[in-house]
Amino acid sequence: MPDALDASPYDALLLLSFGGPEGPDDVVPFLENVTRGRGIPKERLKEVGQHYFLFGGVSPINDQNRALLDALRKDFAGHGLDLPVYWGNRNWAPYLTDTLREMVRDGRRRILVLATSAYASYSGCRQYRENLADALAALEAEGLELPKIDKLRHYFNHPGFVEPMTDGVLRSLADLPEEVRDGAHLAFTTHSIPVSAADTSGPAGEHGDGGAYVRQHLDVARLIAEGVRERTGVDHPWQLVYQSRSGAPHIPWLEPDICDHLEERHAAGVPAVVMAPIGFVSDHMEVLYDLDTEATARAAELGLPVRRSATVGADPRFAAAVRELVLERAAAESGRAVTPCALGALGASHDLCPVGCCPARAPRPAAAGADSPYA
C-alpha cells in the first residue's frame, strides 16, 4: 500500500460543475434553470434547446463528470489519499445544495471545491462562488451546521492540464493529410464572454484589455504551440479565437468567432486548421455542437481540412493534477512550505479570490473568497 497522503485540514473534495439535461424532457427545465431571472419565454428556450435535441436531448457533461469522478477516486486511492469526492451541479441534478446537504450530514466540515472551469472570469469562477453562497444560505435556513469551504486555485497552467491538450493537438496534426500537415494553423478556442466581463476578470490589478481571462488563455495557447514545435520541429502559426457567443447582438463580446476565423484563414490560403478547445475541461455540448457540428460544417463548405483536438476530460494526468492541487492547498492551509506547480509566464494563481476579483454587474454574496460572508 502507498504511504498515506495528508489532505488535512480538509475532509472532502466537491466537484462543482455546470450540469446538463439527460433526456428530451429535461432540456427546457434545464434551460429555465440556466436563464432564471432573465424573463426568457418558454418558446424561446425551446428554440435554444434545438442544439440539445440534435443529440437526443442529452448533454454529455454529466457522463463526463462521472468519468472524472471515477478517475479522481481511483487516483486518490492509488496514491494513499483518503479524501472522499462528491459531485454537485449549478443547473441540474445532482444539485449543489443537495450535495452540500449530504456532505454536512456525512460530517464534512472542511471542504475543497474543484470547479470545472480552469480560468478566471465571472462565469468561470465568481458565479460558482455565488452558487456556493446560495447553497450555504439554504442550509443555514434549515438550521444545519455550515462547513468551511475553500476553492482550488485556477489550474489553467498546471502541467496536468496543459500536457494532455498538447498531446491532443499532436494527434490531430498527425491525423491530417501529410501534404497539409506542416502548414496547418492552430486555432485555440474558448468561450466568448462580454468584453466588459473579460476586462474585469481576475484581481483588480489585472483588469484592463482582456483582463486575466485573455492573458491566461494566451499563455496556455503559447505553451501548447511551443510544445508542438518541440515535438515536431514545426512552428505552426496560431491564434486565440472564440465560440459559443450567447448574448444580445448590441453588447460587444470577445472576437473573432471560430467560424469567421475559419473563413479568414481559408481566404489567406491556410491549407488546414486544428481547432483546440483549450477553454473547456471536457467535450460537452458547446464543443460537440459549436465545433464538431457548426464549425466543422463551415470548414467543409470552404473545402478546408479541419480536425478538433481533445479536451483533458478524465485524463489520468488531470486527475493527478487535482491531487497535487489538493495537497498543495492543504499544505498552505496547515502552514507547511509548498511550491505551487505552474508552467508559463504567469505563475500560480491566487488561492483566495480577493475583493474586486471578477466582479458581478449586480453584487451578490460569494463564498470561498476574501469577501465571503461565511468564515
Side-chain angles (χ1 to χ4, degrees):
M1 291 293 291
D3 294 334
L5 298 176
D6 186 9
S8 61
Y10 298 106
D11 54 20
L13 176 70
L14 167 63
L15 175 65
L16 176 55
S17 193
F18 193 82
E22 300 200 75
D25 293 340
D26 296 345
V27 173
V28 171
F30 162 74
L31 292 174
E32 287 175 332
N33 288 342
V34 174
T35 62
R36 181 169 287 114
R38 301 183 200 175
I40 299 176
K42 182 172 289 190
E43 290 306 312
R44 174 58 183 150
L45 293 179
K46 290 179 181 178
E47 294 175 16
V48 173
Q50 290 306 312
H51 295 180
Y52 291 96
F53 292 126
L54 288 174
F55 296 88
V58 178
S59 168
I61 193 170
N62 278 359
D63 275 346
Q64 289 163 3
N65 281 324
R66 292 182 182 103
L68 179 55
L69 273 175
D70 185 59
L72 292 173
R73 288 166 176 160
K74 286 179 177 175
D75 178 272
F76 288 8
H79 289 84
L81 178 58
D82 183 16
L83 190 71
V85 187
Y86 294 75
W87 168 37
N89 290 325
R90 286 167 50 175
N91 298 298
W92 202 248
Y95 288 103
L96 170 60
T97 301
D98 295 336
T99 300
L100 273 184
R101 184 183 298 109
E102 176 189 359
M103 296 177 81
V104 168
R105 289 174 174 167
D106 286 349
R108 312 305 176 191
R109 294 294 176 261
R110 290 293 305 272
I111 298 170
L112 262 178
V113 174
L114 168 68
T116 53
S117 175
Y119 302 85
S121 71
Y122 169 74
S123 57
C125 184
R126 185 176 177 88
Q127 192 170 16
Y128 281 106
R129 294 176 48 226
E130 290 175 352
N131 298 144
L132 285 166
D134 291 342
L136 289 171
L139 298 189
E140 188 174 40
E142 296 172 12
L144 295 176
E145 181 180 353
L146 299 187
K148 182 177 181 345
I149 293 179
D150 291 321
K151 179 178 174 292
L152 287 172
R153 66 175 173 89
H154 303 302
Y155 46 85
F156 63 93
N157 56 1
H158 194 287
F161 187 69
V162 175
E163 290 169 2
M165 291 190 294
T166 302
D167 286 348
V169 171
L170 288 165
R171 287 192 298 271
S172 291
L173 285 168
D175 192 49
L176 283 168
E178 187 175 358
E179 63 270 19
V180 301
R181 187 178 303 149
D182 286 353
H185 172 84
L186 308 182
F188 295 105
T189 78
T190 190
H191 206 303
S192 184
I193 61 175
V195 171
S196 59
D199 290 348
T200 56
S201 57
E206 299 180 32
H207 293 178
D209 187 16
Y213 186 74
V214 171
R215 283 193 288 276
Q216 290 171 358
H217 280 87
L218 285 172
D219 205 39
V220 171
R222 191 174 299 110
L223 284 166
I224 294 173
E226 289 173 355
V228 169
R229 184 181 67 247
E230 290 170 2
R231 299 269 292 276
T232 66
V234 179
D235 193 5
H236 291 272
W238 62 270
Q239 186 172 336
L240 178 64
V241 301
Y242 302 93
Q243 62 173 91
S244 312
R245 176 187 170 130
S246 60
H250 68 280
I251 298 175
W253 281 52
L254 292 174
E255 296 178 335
D257 177 77
I258 179 61
C259 289
D260 295 337
H261 183 66
L262 292 175
E263 293 182 9
E264 188 272 334
R265 290 293 81 204
H266 178 256
V270 165
V273 173
V274 170
M275 302 180 292
I278 63 172
F280 305 93
V281 171
S282 64
D283 290 3
H284 53 57
M285 184 57 69
E286 286 165 318
V287 175
L288 292 186
Y289 182 80
D290 296 333
L291 295 183
D292 293 357
T293 305
E294 191 173 49
T296 300
R298 186 70 192 104
E301 292 171 3
L302 297 168
L304 177 66
V306 295
R307 298 292 186 272
R308 195 269 293 173
S309 66
T311 53
V312 297
D315 190 290
R317 290 169 291 182
F318 183 47
V322 174
R323 169 174 38 87
E324 292 171 9
L325 289 166
V326 166
L327 295 173
E328 172 194 302
R329 184 62 181 272
E333 287 294 307
S334 301
R336 303 191 299 271
V338 61
T339 302
C341 185
L343 301 173
L346 300 181
S349 184
H350 50 265
D351 276 338
L352 189 69
C353 292
V355 176
C357 193
C358 303
R361 283 176 293 179
R364 291 177 53 201
D371 55 354
S372 173
Y374 299 98

